[in-house]
Amino acid sequence: MSSLHWYDWIQPTSPYASFFFGIIFTIIVAITVWVNTRKKTSTCFAALAGMGFTAIVVYILVFTGFYS
């Protein structure tokens, strides 16, 4: 497993860094949705949609050889 670097938040250099920062961003969005709506369903939908989108994009980038 590759390590994280300080500049990975700008342009991730590995799939691990992409997934890590994607999940961090998703958590921030989910907290923002919770603060604004106070609805558990909206918060869960935002979190699951963000995690799914992150996983799909990281898979596509790995499949196309972006990190090679």
Side-chain angles (χ1 to χ4, degrees):
M1 182 178 291
S2 59
S3 61
L4 289 174
H5 303 284
W6 70 268
Y7 49 81
D8 277 336
W9 67 274
I10 300 169
Q11 182 177 358
T13 56
S14 68
Y16 173 71
S18 294
F19 192 73
F20 178 77
F21 287 108
I23 296 302
I24 295 296
F25 182 73
T26 297
I27 290 169
I28 292 168
V29 168
I31 290 170
T32 303
V33 169
W34 172 252
V35 168
N36 287 328
T37 65
R38 299 284 183 196
K39 293 183 181 178
K40 190 183 289 188
T41 55
S42 298
T43 304
C44 287
F45 179 75
L48 290 175
M51 288 179 195
F53 183 77
T54 298
I56 290 169
V57 170
V58 169
Y59 175 77
I60 290 171
L61 289 173
V62 168
F63 183 74
T64 59
F66 181 77
Y67 299 110
S68 300

